[in-house]
Amino acid sequence: MEIIFGRNKKEHLEPVRARVTGKIPAWLQGTLLRNGPGMHTVGETRYNHWFDGLALLHSFTIRDGEVYYRSKYLRSDTYTANIEANRIVVSEFGTMAYPDPCKNIFSKAFSYLSHTIPDFTDNCLINIMRCGEDFYATTETNYIRKINPQTLETLEKVDYRKYVAVNLATSHPHYDAAGNVLNVGTSIVDKGKTKYVIFKIPATVPGGRKEGRSPLKDAEVFCSIAARSLLSPSYYHSFGVTENYVVFLEQPFKLDILKMATAYIRGVSWASCLAFHGEDKTHIHIIDRRTRKPVLTKYHTDPMVVFHHVNAYEEDGCLLFDVIAYEDGSLYQLFYLANLNKDFKENSRLTSVPTLKRFVLPLHVDKNAEVGSNLINLSSTTARALKEKDGQVYCQPELLYEGLELPRINYAHNGKPYRYVFAAGVQWSPIPTKIIKYDILTKSSLKWGEEHCWPAEPLFVPTPGAKDEDDGIILSAIVSTDPQKSPFLLVLDARTFTELARASVDVEMHLDIHGLFIPDAGWDLGKQAPSREAPARAAAGQAAPRT
Ligand SMILES: CC1=C(/C=C/C(C)=C/C=C/C(C)=C/C=O)C(C)(C)CCC1
Ligand SMILES: [Fe+2]
């Protein structure tokens, strides 16, 4: 396990040609670009948590049946400062770092004070976001880093705070058909208020985007929701959208702002400022995208922790949304490297199984409905919504499937009725051992798995001109715990889940987190969410415009 989690991975700046077995469909041309932590020690110092590792971008360029692999560390300010100092000098999720070893009492006091309002890391290791023609590496702080998706070079550092007042923002934005980005962030104690801010970044602007102008300059606040508590806003990792609504969960997994403000002085990490409050409810906020206002009905459900929303849509006056839910916040605990590297089987046992749950909310609550009555009358689900005496609605989900994470869908169905969830299958540990296709209609599943293989998040790419939701392929980077077996890019037929091809690369590959597929130009872009209008000029072979 040490090899997979603990050992620093090398960069491969020049494309490495993979050994392809099987046949990659001729139409599949483009680049799978992914992100994840690749370096966990700097000099003599070591990060505590897997999410702390320095971002390593990697890509698989698929052209005419061949695959080329590259990887490069994100040259974040964090990376540069650490490498220059030859030790960890920037704090991450699970590691608090002390930049200047304080020499005397005065500089010590100054150093502490200057950290009261922390400047977060730009080690953007979680995902890749597309804004029009631009691509960014993302994490959950106020920083994102523009990258060149072809060369994996790091470009400018963008501070969300210059454009919208957020201190944190998710790594899971949504895209509409035109490529406009919708995201949620938290504005902490700004002018005496803590808010969840939904913001929009337009893919294009009237008259066209001027060369070098950041799309962020045209970002706007779509709606904001006051946090229930000024000093303990909820932590969230994603959100949901339907055609007319945004779904935001204010869950009882909270950040303690006072603890954060004193973390540096106390020598503890940001992670220690997060806590699950099993005594609280989960509040479900629904925002009407037409009025940009929250709907008035108050919906809630039992305490739970959700990292990934799967999809959401409207049907017969109801809003359905699917999430991977946990009973508590223990998941992030399992990713401490001390747990992952030694006694792996013992230390990384899931105490709460990630479960696909469907929630159904009535969009209009009948005033005359009796207290205690179920307001949902959809034959397709057993999910219920019970009217309470104060007019609030208590939502009871339908349990769909246990043991899956890192969900993806055919994004052309995002916000719309859909049938298939593609995900990583997890059993006793949070490390995936299978790839799963779950059919919500028939409640059946297909699986892919191989001995010693750990699959990454499976990504769906539709066949050009596809009509069926599962007409396409699944791409997943697979790393192996068997040192004799090279990592590979797996290509599955998304309909049957049979292997079409694999492209093995003789490198030590890191376990990544999230990413996206950038089709080469000239595709049927109408089928290629997120962007239907902007041609994928940044795909391999045609470099993104550099600024
Ligand atoms: C640095 C930092 C944070 C980092 C969070 C990270 C890095 C979360 C990663 C989550 C992942 C990878 C989830 C996968 O499902 C917080 C807590 C937002 C708060 C302030 C500073
Ligand atoms: Fe995620």
Side-chain angles (χ1 to χ4, degrees):
M1 300 310 137
E2 180 80 32
I3 313 172
I4 293 190
F5 290 109
R7 203 144 90 192
N8 292 348
K9 303 296 181 290
K10 286 200 191 82
E11 298 178 309
H12 296 277
L13 305 178
E14 291 304 319
V16 179
R17 187 170 170 168
R19 254 177 299 113
V20 177
T21 51
K23 198 168 178 325
I24 296 179
W27 58 264
L28 187 64
Q29 310 266 347
T31 297
L32 172 67
L33 176 58
R34 302 188 52 85
N35 201 351
M39 192 189 291
H40 288 93
T41 60
V42 184
E44 298 293 303
T45 55
R46 203 170 241 285
Y47 286 119
N48 299 324
H49 200 279
W50 187 62
F51 297 171
D52 299 343
L54 294 171
L56 179 55
L57 302 164
H58 65 167
S59 66
F60 298 85
T61 297
I62 306 165
R63 174 125 351 102
D64 303 328
E66 296 293 343
V67 176
Y68 301 88
Y69 177 80
R70 306 180 185 232
S71 63
K72 192 173 167 82
Y73 279 100
L74 184 80
R75 288 335 193 241
S76 58
D77 291 358
T78 298
Y79 175 95
T80 311
N82 286 345
I83 299 298
E84 268 171 18
N86 195 34
R87 65 188 182 90
I88 297 163
V89 288
V90 181
S91 303
E92 299 292 339
F93 175 72
T95 306
M96 188 55 82
Y98 294 86
D100 326 293
C102 304
K103 290 183 198 73
N104 62 53
I105 188 87
F106 296 108
S107 61
K108 199 167 184 168
F110 178 75
S111 182
Y112 281 164
L113 284 173
S114 64
H115 279 76
T116 307
I117 299 159
D119 187 23
F120 291 133
T121 178
D122 69 338
N123 173 31
C124 300
L125 81 157
I126 304 182
N127 203 356
I128 313 286
M129 169 168 80
R130 179 177 190 160
C131 290
E133 303 274 292
D134 300 334
F135 291 82
Y136 295 88
T138 63
T139 180
E140 297 189 345
T141 66
N142 54 300
Y143 293 117
I144 54 176
R145 285 303 305 229
K146 193 172 169 186
I147 55 166
N148 178 323
Q150 189 200 8
T151 61
L152 309 184
E153 264 172 295
T154 304
L155 305 171
E156 58 265 31
K157 177 177 179 177
V158 173
D159 184 349
Y160 272 135
R161 291 175 302 180
K162 275 171 77 183
Y163 310 103
V164 270
V166 291
N167 305 89
L168 307 169
T170 86
S171 226
H172 286 284
H174 277 291
Y175 305 90
D176 67 14
N180 299 308
V181 178
L182 200 64
N183 203 357
V184 184
T186 305
S187 172
I188 302 171
V189 204
D190 182 34
K191 301 190 192 82
K193 290 201 171 78
T194 296
K195 295 183 280 191
Y196 308 107
V197 181
I198 302 172
F199 60 97
K200 196 172 164 177
I201 312 167
T204 50
V205 282
R209 200 174 286 293
K210 286 193 196 70
E211 183 78 18
R213 181 181 166 92
S214 165
L216 269 299
K217 284 219 162 79
D218 302 297
E220 53 164 342
V221 172
F222 192 77
C223 169
S224 43
I225 306 165
R228 299 182 73 82
S229 154
L230 178 74
L231 295 174
S232 51
S234 289
Y235 170 82
Y236 50 93
H237 179 76
S238 65
F239 64 106
V241 291
T242 71
E243 285 184 340
N244 296 303
Y245 300 92
V246 174
V247 182
F248 175 75
L249 297 178
E250 193 171 19
Q251 54 188 4
F253 191 38
K254 300 179 188 175
L255 277 168
D256 185 322
I257 303 304
L258 292 182
K259 279 192 176 163
M260 281 181 87
T262 55
Y264 187 82
I265 271 179
R266 294 182 296 120
V268 298
S269 69
W270 306 133
S272 75
C273 308
L274 258 176
F276 177 66
H277 297 262
E279 68 287 1
D280 287 356
K281 298 174 181 176
T282 300
H283 301 274
I284 307 169
H285 297 279
I286 305 296
I287 296 94
D288 192 322
R289 295 175 73 173
R290 295 154 297 190
T291 59
R292 299 186 170 205
K293 290 205 169 73
V295 305
L296 296 174
T297 312
K298 300 263 175 272
Y299 305 94
H300 67 97
T301 187
D302 294 330
M304 63 173 178
V305 176
V306 166
F307 301 103
H308 294 116
H309 281 251
V310 182
N311 198 6
Y313 63 93
E314 295 152 49
E315 189 181 302
D316 283 343
C318 295
L319 188 154
L320 294 80
F321 72 89
D322 299 338
V323 293
I324 311 287
Y326 293 78
E327 261 152 34
D328 59 38
S330 60
L331 179 74
Y332 283 4
Q333 293 296 323
L334 299 182
F335 288 97
Y336 279 98
L337 293 168
N339 294 340
L340 293 174
N341 287 334
K342 268 195 273 103
D343 302 323
F344 178 65
K345 287 220 158 178
E346 265 324 296
N347 291 332
S348 62
R349 213 159 269 286
L350 282 163
T351 48
S352 159
V353 183
T355 307
L356 175 63
K357 290 187 179 171
R358 166 159 291 187
F359 288 84
V360 184
L361 277 52
L363 285 166
H364 309 285
V365 177
D366 180 0
K367 280 203 189 77
N368 303 317
E370 268 178 48
V371 167
S373 65
N374 178 21
L375 304 167
I376 305 302
N377 190 15
L378 290 184
S379 58
S380 63
T381 180
T382 57
R384 307 198 306 161
L386 307 177
K387 187 171 171 185
E388 296 188 326
K389 49 178 183 306
D390 47 6
Q392 294 199 28
V393 177
Y394 167 68
C395 304
Q396 218 173 47
E398 175 181 2
L399 193 158
L400 291 173
Y401 192 89
E402 280 186 331
L404 79 186
E405 248 301 356
L406 303 171
R408 297 292 294 231
I409 57 163
N410 175 343
Y411 204 76
H413 287 256
N414 190 51
K416 302 189 180 105
Y418 78 117
R419 181 168 165 185
Y420 304 108
V421 180
F422 302 102
V426 293
Q427 286 156 344
W428 53 269
S429 101
I431 309 301
T433 49
K434 296 259 185 315
I435 306 176
I436 294 180
K437 173 187 184 182
Y438 178 71
D439 181 337
I440 301 171
L441 186 68
T442 62
K443 309 238 178 335
S444 60
S445 61
L446 292 177
K447 293 189 180 84
W448 178 93
E450 200 168 283
E451 221 187 338
H452 308 302
C453 286
W454 288 3
E457 169 194 60
L459 222 125
F460 176 85
V461 184
T463 308
K467 292 211 170 47
D468 293 339
E469 187 183 332
D470 59 349
D471 184 356
I473 54 104
I474 294 293
L475 293 177
S476 179
I478 315 283
V479 299
S480 159
T481 50
D482 173 2
Q484 302 305 314
K485 191 167 179 165
S486 303
F488 56 95
L489 173 70
L490 177 70
V491 186
L492 294 181
D493 178 332
R495 201 190 293 273
T496 59
F497 250 42
T498 47
E499 179 174 333
L500 295 175
R502 65 175 66 186
S504 303
V505 200
D506 291 326
V507 300
E508 213 177 84
M509 203 179 284
H510 63 312
L511 264 183
D512 62 20
I513 305 180
H514 296 298
L516 45 71
F517 183 74
I518 311 166
D520 277 355
W523 273 41
D524 173 7
L525 290 165
K527 284 279 165 202
Q528 281 307 310
S531 172
R532 284 194 186 161
E533 283 175 8
R537 241 195 275 143
Q542 284 170 282
R546 233 177 304 139
T547 49

